[in-house]
Amino acid sequence: GAVVSQHPSWVICKSGTSVKIECRSLDFQATTMFWYRQFPKQSLMLMATSNEGSKATYEQGVEKDKFLINHASLTLSTLTVTSAHPEDSSFYICSAREAGGADTQYFGPGTRLTVL
Amino acid sequence: GQNIDQPTEMTATEGAIVQINCTYQTSGFNGLFWYQQHAGEAPTFLSYNVLDGLEEKGRFSSFLSRSKGYSYLLLKELQMKDSASYLCAVSSNRDDKIIFGKGTRLHILP
């Protein structure tokens, strides 16, 4: 149980384009999903908290107009990196917390984004 | 605010035991997690402690002392596949978030 998937697992795009990453909880409902970014050999940095049916809460320093988050259902959240630039190249990881469950977050496999 | 400290790197020998320490400062403590992360992969859940004491799960055990703001992850009978980063993370009841430490990279030598 508690499986989270992400799609795509990796993506290469040109500078200036937009990229959408999907995060799905496969066998449970997640009222809250989290989006993290991780640069090589560094820890996970929380970008935003995504709540089903409401606006995401962004961490300080994260541009909400650049990183668009939509949590349209209890099993799906999407992160869209708009007008991507090479400095946005990173490992993006989502996690989901089960509705009514403990605080444990279960992570997706991550998406490696490379912007040329 | 929250602050989590853990060693940057540790080295141990296959078959041995290693203890990875984590100290934290937070308001409204609501639990401590340990995650394992192999290079290039997402973290996987190892343990969750909310009460003082030792939680044992196979070769891995996790200990918590809330009064000391201290936890450790104990790995027994080390295997080469245990080479990974181990992330200590703390949950606060003031918000929804889990804050991660910078991780401890564990190197296992044959």
Side-chain angles (χ1 to χ4, degrees), chain A residues 21-41:
Chain A
I21 303 170
E22 293 186 350
C23 177
R24 293 182 186 272
S25 56
L26 298 185
D27 52 0
F28 65 99
Q29 294 184 326
T31 50
T32 306
M33 290 183 172
F34 303 85
W35 288 96
Y36 295 84
R37 181 167 53 183
Q38 187 176 37
F39 293 104
K41 295 189 177 181

Side-chain angles (χ1 to χ4, degrees), chain B residues 52-85:
Chain B
D52 289 351
L54 186 69
E55 295 276 347
E56 297 185 73
K57 191 185 294 185
R59 294 189 299 117
F60 292 3
S61 303
S62 57
F63 172 82
L64 175 67
S65 170
R66 288 173 296 171
S67 62
K68 296 181 179 178
Y70 167 70
S71 173
Y72 67 73
L73 179 69
L74 190 72
L75 293 78
K76 302 176 184 176
E77 301 170 15
L78 286 170
Q79 302 175 8
M80 297 303 293
K81 67 178 181 180
D82 297 330
S83 292
S85 285

Side-chain angles (χ1 to χ4, degrees), chain B residues 1-5 22-29 32 66 68-70 88 90-92 99:
Chain B
Q2 293 175 311
N3 189 44
I4 300 173
D5 286 314
C22 172
T23 58
Y24 65 88
Q25 294 174 317
T26 187
S27 53
F29 176 80
L32 185 142
R66 288 173 296 171
K68 296 181 179 178
Y70 167 70
C88 175
V90 174
S91 171
S92 167
I99 302 301

Side-chain angles (χ1 to χ4, degrees), chain B residues 88-101:
Chain B
C88 175
V90 174
S91 171
S92 167
N93 59 21
R94 297 185 67 183
D95 54 40
D96 267 342
K97 301 182 290 191
I98 293 178
I99 302 301
F100 285 83

Side-chain angles (χ1 to χ4, degrees), chain A residues 61-74:
Chain A
V62 178
E63 299 175 56
K64 61 181 180 181
D65 294 331
K66 180 170 181 61
F67 299 99
L68 301 178
I69 292 172
N70 184 279
H71 193 157
S73 77
L74 286 173

Side-chain angles (χ1 to χ4, degrees), chain A residues 5 10 19-21 25 27 31 39 53-54 56 65 73 83-85 90 96 98-100 102 111 115:
Chain A
S5 70
W10 60 271
V19 174
K20 179 187 282 188
I21 303 170
S25 56
D27 52 0
T31 50
F39 293 104
S54 64
D65 294 331
S73 77
S83 187
H85 291 282
S90 186
E98 187 171 5
T111 297
V115 184

Side-chain angles (χ1 to χ4, degrees), chain A residues 38 43 46 59 97 103 105 108, chain B residues 30 35 37 42 96-97 101:
Chain A
Q38 187 176 37
S43 188
L46 180 65
E59 294 301 298
R97 188 169 67 202
D103 281 346
Q105 292 182 23
Chain B
N30 197 36
Y35 285 85
Q37 186 178 25
D96 267 342
K97 301 182 290 191

